[in-house]
Amino acid sequence: MARRITKNNAASSRSGARQKPVKSKKIKLKDFFYSIHELVTSRRFRFAMGFVSIAVVAMLSVAYVSYFSTGAEDYSIVNHLEDRTMYRGEIKNTLGLPGAIVADWLVDDMFGLTSIVVLLAVAVYSARLMFEFQLRRVRFLFINLYFLVWSSTALAFVQYMTKSLTFFRWGGAFGQIASNWLMSYVHWVGLLLLLIATLFLFFVFVDKHFIERCHRFVDWVARLLMRMKSSKGDEVDPLEETKAMNTPDIPPISEDYKTITVNYD
């Protein structure tokens, strides 16, 4: 029994000795993750990340603007050639081949002309990381997404109605798919009314003074119509004016005029 007890004590002492370094490893790993958390949540890291994001957005904005003047020449290289790197020297975009590829993806394959809204939204969030100003993020995200969907669909609809042929789609791939799908159900008249109605509802929910502005606009239109109507009532009819000009002036009868009665007796 004594030998068994001593063996158990020896085994427990060995297991305790083995568990000590595991605890130290856990503590070190915890400290490592804690240090990473402190680094990520620190103001310096947020400022650096915001600055890098704004720099990337600035570069992409340059490529976006350059796309509209050089995209037609770069279209064949970007979209049709498999080995585009061999012809990268012929790219006319300001940021070269990467800029031409990203700009074509943003404009033609995404939301069209309004893809710049994505870059502006990223820039605003990056500025918030740098300067820590207040921003209603949910509302800001909702407005940007709604504007992207509505404007890309509207631009694709306008391009379809005007039959304009360009090297890129005004509303991007999303706008073209959305407008074609909606027109397959409600045709172009229904889509036009739907765009107007959704835009009106958007302003109703976003701007709390929009209903008051609508009332003021209606009152202004009513007053304008009343003024136009009153001005038309004050105008003299041209026929009556010509009649008045042609009739001779008859002098008024004086009060001293007395009638003479003659008696025939």
Side-chain angles (χ1 to χ4, degrees):
M1 291 294 293
R3 290 181 180 178
R4 290 180 181 177
I5 293 171
T6 54
K7 287 182 180 179
N8 292 330
N9 292 331
S12 62
S13 63
R14 290 176 184 175
S15 63
R18 291 176 183 175
Q19 290 177 358
K20 285 182 180 179
V22 174
K23 290 182 180 179
S24 62
K25 286 182 180 179
K26 288 183 179 180
I27 292 173
K28 290 181 180 179
L29 189 63
K30 185 177 180 180
D31 293 337
F32 174 73
F33 284 112
Y34 181 74
S35 61
I36 291 178
H37 176 72
E38 285 187 344
L39 177 64
V40 171
T41 56
S42 63
R43 190 174 184 279
R44 290 181 298 175
F45 181 81
R46 291 198 301 270
F47 188 88
M49 290 299 297
F51 180 78
V52 171
S53 300
I54 288 179
V56 173
V57 168
M59 295 176 63
L60 293 178
S61 300
V62 172
Y64 173 86
V65 174
S66 178
Y67 174 78
F68 298 104
S69 59
T70 61
E73 299 178 5
D74 299 339
Y75 184 82
S76 59
I77 299 175
V78 172
N79 293 282
H80 296 291
L81 293 179
E82 294 180 359
D83 194 3
R84 294 175 289 192
T85 57
M86 293 179 61
Y87 299 91
R88 61 183 180 273
E90 300 179 6
I91 295 293
K92 303 297 182 181
N93 194 286
T94 305
L95 292 185
L97 182 61
I101 294 174
V102 174
D104 183 75
W105 176 73
L106 278 174
V107 178
D108 195 50
D109 296 334
M110 291 291 289
F111 297 99
L113 295 170
T114 54
S115 295
I116 190 66
V117 176
V118 179
L119 301 179
L120 293 176
V122 175
V124 171
Y125 276 112
S126 302
R128 182 180 178 276
L129 287 175
M130 293 177 64
F131 304 107
E132 297 181 351
F133 56 85
Q134 292 183 355
L135 179 67
R136 299 174 66 179
R137 290 173 289 182
V138 177
R139 185 174 183 270
F140 183 75
L141 181 62
F142 168 76
I143 291 173
N144 283 279
L145 289 176
Y146 192 96
F147 182 75
L148 276 175
V149 172
W150 186 90
S151 59
S152 60
T153 307
L155 287 172
F157 173 70
V158 171
Q159 187 178 17
Y160 171 80
M161 295 301 297
T162 57
K163 309 241 182 251
S164 300
L165 298 177
T166 55
F167 67 93
F168 67 94
R169 291 168 283 193
W170 293 2
F174 176 83
Q176 186 178 19
I177 294 171
S179 63
N180 291 337
W181 180 74
L182 289 171
M183 280 192 292
S184 66
Y185 284 95
V186 296
H187 300 291
W188 69 270
V189 178
L191 179 56
L192 178 62
L193 296 175
L194 184 62
L195 289 173
I196 295 172
T198 51
L199 182 63
F200 185 83
L201 291 175
F202 172 75
F203 284 115
V204 167
F205 287 104
V206 170
D207 187 5
K208 60 183 180 180
H209 302 292
F210 181 72
I211 298 176
E212 298 176 1
R213 292 190 179 98
C214 290
H215 285 298
R216 293 176 184 175
F217 177 75
V218 172
D219 293 338
W220 177 79
V221 172
R223 288 195 300 269
L224 182 63
L225 293 175
M226 291 295 293
R227 290 176 184 174
M228 293 175 63
K229 187 176 180 180
S230 61
S231 62
K232 286 182 179 180
D234 295 337
E235 292 179 356
V236 180
D237 192 0
L239 294 175
E240 294 181 358
E241 186 176 0
T242 53
K243 290 180 181 179
M245 291 176 64
N246 294 327
T247 54
D249 295 335
I250 301 174
I253 301 173
S254 62
E255 294 179 357
D256 296 335
Y257 179 77
K258 296 180 181 180
T259 60
I260 299 173
T261 59
V262 179
N263 295 324
Y264 297 95
D265 293 334

